[in-house]
Amino acid sequence: MTADTDRYITLDAMRGFAVMGILAMNIIAFAMPEWAYVTPKAYGGLTTENQLSWLLSFIFIDGKMRGLFSLLFGASLTLIVEGAQAKGESAKKIHFSRMFWLALFGLTHYFFIWFGDILFLYASVGCIAFLFKEWQPRQLVKWALIIFGIGLLLWGLQMGGLQVLQFFATMPNADPEIAQQFGKIINSPDFDPNVEKDLALYRGGYWPIVEHKLSEWYAPLTLVLQSITETLPLMMIGMAMKKNGFITGAWAREDYIVWIKRLVPAGLVLSAGLAGGLCAVGYDPVNSVAVFLVWSGIPRLMLTVGYAALLILVIERYSGSALIARVTAAGQAAFTNYLGTSIIMTSIFYGYGFGLYGDLSRIELWPFVFGTWIWMLLWSKPWLVRFRYGPLEWLWRSLARGKLQKMIR
């Protein structure tokens, strides 16, 4: 813990790295048609630069920062429950009040700011994770892996079956009925990148974008169903990590190194293999979606946990540095930084702002990522020197507890 508060520097700093890192992938969805996130073929063409940029992001970043957020959410859930119990408060009341308001923040974010919201997902899954608050670490990890495996199996049967269908449907002497069946699937809206529609929508005004999202009001619920078998296990692992001291830096340095060696190299090799396989088949939609939804799940989980161990060592090694102090502050204000980033990015790229949507290459987006990182690091620490919470953290806490919280230190 830090010297003068009940906060853990490892949690806050890791959250700071995660909120910065997630922008490195989200920037694609902010600035380009949605399918560009899944495959470089959808937008930018198969140039060396575009492919290499996508491959590096897929191997090293994609899903791992979101995974860290999920781990940290589970760890924070346990921390809040323990804090409430220690004070004789109702952990259930506090938790579900927090989740209720987080869900409302998430829906507001989705409908009125950006479609890539994860707050509603976390609030929904967080309500389920609370049921396991008394479980021991070993039990949490065991069932997390079981749920994760069930999710992979269900998605694998669906997407793997589609990949098999594609194989037989595209053979030179394919059965006409099989080819027709596959044609209906591949020409459905689910596999249509529809780049021109995205360009027209997000280069336009504010209200048409809102109306489009309102017409797809079910999308946040769909995301919960699609993601629960990954998000819930990660939260459960994060809960276990808080209980056994992993995520708070209580383990020996050698133990973290062991897990880094076990998970990071293998995870990177598997991710690189999947990326190379997609490159070999020309990033066709079926294989791209299958890798995105299913086959990258295991290496993504490995790298999420491996990155957590690596970051803990880095944070502890440089805990006294000015940079880690600023990253820690960015993590303490991660809620504000996350929503603030959405406001900034949509204002830059959407038509009602500077209208740069679809105009820049993947390489050209990095200055916006670096600029936003600098913004996070510059404002967060001075703000928290004077105030107890980030602006939105204070609002969320006040709403959840039903009274205004003390803000000035």
Side-chain angles (χ1 to χ4, degrees):
M1 291 189 182
T2 54
D4 59 345
T5 74
D6 59 354
R7 304 191 69 99
Y8 290 94
I9 185 174
T10 51
L11 268 68
D12 285 332
M14 198 184 307
R15 193 178 290 111
F17 281 117
V19 76
M20 293 168 67
I22 202 169
L23 176 60
M25 284 306 302
N26 283 352
I27 190 70
I28 302 300
F30 280 123
M32 293 182 176
E34 188 175 1
W35 266 77
Y37 192 104
V38 179
T39 165
K41 190 176 183 179
Y43 205 72
L46 296 182
T47 63
T48 300
E49 174 192 299
N50 195 47
Q51 287 191 78
L52 185 60
S53 296
W54 183 87
L55 289 168
L56 291 175
S57 294
F58 174 82
I59 293 169
F60 292 98
I61 306 172
D62 180 31
K64 291 78 172 177
M65 301 300 109
R66 186 177 66 251
L68 286 176
F69 263 127
S70 301
L71 292 180
L72 291 163
F73 194 94
S76 296
L77 186 160
T78 300
L79 190 62
I80 289 167
V81 166
E82 292 174 349
Q85 292 173 340
K87 296 175 183 177
E89 299 174 337
S90 171
K92 181 178 180 180
K93 180 180 179 180
I94 291 173
H95 175 75
F96 283 99
S97 179
R98 283 170 54 84
M99 295 304 98
F100 171 77
W101 287 107
L102 184 64
L104 290 185
F105 276 117
L107 291 175
T108 301
H109 182 216
Y110 171 80
F111 287 113
F112 300 106
I113 302 176
W114 185 52
F115 69 86
D117 173 72
I118 60 171
L119 300 178
F120 182 80
L121 167 66
Y122 280 17
S124 301
V125 179
C127 291
I128 301 172
F130 182 81
L131 301 175
F132 313 122
K133 66 184 186 303
E134 303 297 340
W135 285 16
Q136 295 303 306
R138 186 178 295 274
Q139 187 180 17
L140 283 165
V141 173
K142 173 187 172 182
W143 280 98
L145 294 177
I146 290 173
I147 295 169
F148 187 81
I150 291 172
L152 281 183
L153 177 62
L154 295 175
W155 278 111
L157 289 173
Q158 180 179 344
M159 295 308 305
L162 187 55
Q163 286 176 293
V164 171
L165 178 63
Q166 176 176 248
F167 175 78
F168 286 108
T170 54
M171 292 180 68
N173 298 317
D175 184 308
E177 290 186 9
I178 294 178
Q180 184 180 18
Q181 181 185 359
F182 177 71
K184 289 180 180 179
I185 295 173
I186 198 65
N187 292 318
S188 69
D190 291 338
F191 289 95
D192 182 6
N194 215 347
V195 168
E196 294 304 322
K197 180 181 177 181
D198 277 359
L199 290 173
L201 178 64
Y202 294 109
R203 285 173 173 174
Y206 177 76
W207 284 113
I209 295 174
V210 173
E211 289 172 351
H212 172 73
K213 287 185 285 189
L214 289 172
S215 71
E216 298 184 347
W217 57 268
Y218 49 84
L221 296 173
T222 301
L223 179 62
V224 173
L225 295 176
Q226 288 178 338
S227 305
I228 189 170
T229 55
E230 180 176 41
T231 304
L232 179 57
L234 284 168
M235 287 185 182
M236 293 171 70
I237 293 171
M239 293 166 73
M241 287 178 167
K242 168 60 181 69
K243 289 172 180 284
N244 66 19
F246 178 100
I247 208 165
T248 57
W251 286 22
R253 183 174 183 274
E254 294 73 18
D255 293 328
Y256 291 110
I257 292 175
V258 167
W259 282 103
I260 293 168
K261 289 180 177 179
R262 285 177 179 174
L263 298 175
V264 174
L268 291 175
V269 169
L270 289 173
S271 293
L274 290 170
L278 282 181
C279 181
V281 299
Y283 308 98
D284 68 89
V286 169
N287 283 305
S288 294
V289 171
V291 166
F292 180 74
L293 290 178
V294 188
W295 311 126
S296 61
I298 291 177
R300 188 163 58 237
L301 176 62
M302 295 170 67
L303 287 170
T304 295
V305 176
Y307 281 2
L310 180 60
L311 284 173
I312 288 169
L313 291 187
V314 171
I315 292 163
E316 291 189 333
R317 172 67 177 81
Y318 298 101
S319 60
S321 69
L323 177 60
I324 292 299
R326 288 191 175 273
V327 173
T328 300
Q332 286 183 244
F335 188 26
T336 301
N337 280 318
Y338 173 69
L339 288 180
T341 294
S342 293
I343 294 170
I344 292 171
M345 292 296 110
T346 52
S347 297
I348 290 173
F349 293 106
Y350 283 8
Y352 56 81
F354 290 95
L356 296 180
Y357 189 84
D359 288 344
L360 303 176
S361 69
R362 294 173 192 268
I363 293 293
E364 291 171 329
L365 294 177
W366 276 101
F368 294 94
V369 174
F370 294 141
T372 306
W373 288 355
I374 292 171
W375 165 73
M376 291 182 189
L377 296 175
L378 286 179
W379 85 268
S380 300
K381 191 172 186 298
W383 177 278
L384 290 171
V385 167
R386 182 172 183 182
F387 301 104
R388 293 174 178 269
Y389 314 104
L392 290 180
E393 284 77 7
W394 171 82
L395 178 59
W396 182 21
R397 187 179 179 90
S398 296
L399 290 170
R401 291 183 173 268
K403 63 178 181 181
L404 294 178
Q405 299 295 292
K406 184 177 179 181
M407 183 63 159
I408 298 177
R409 290 189 181 277

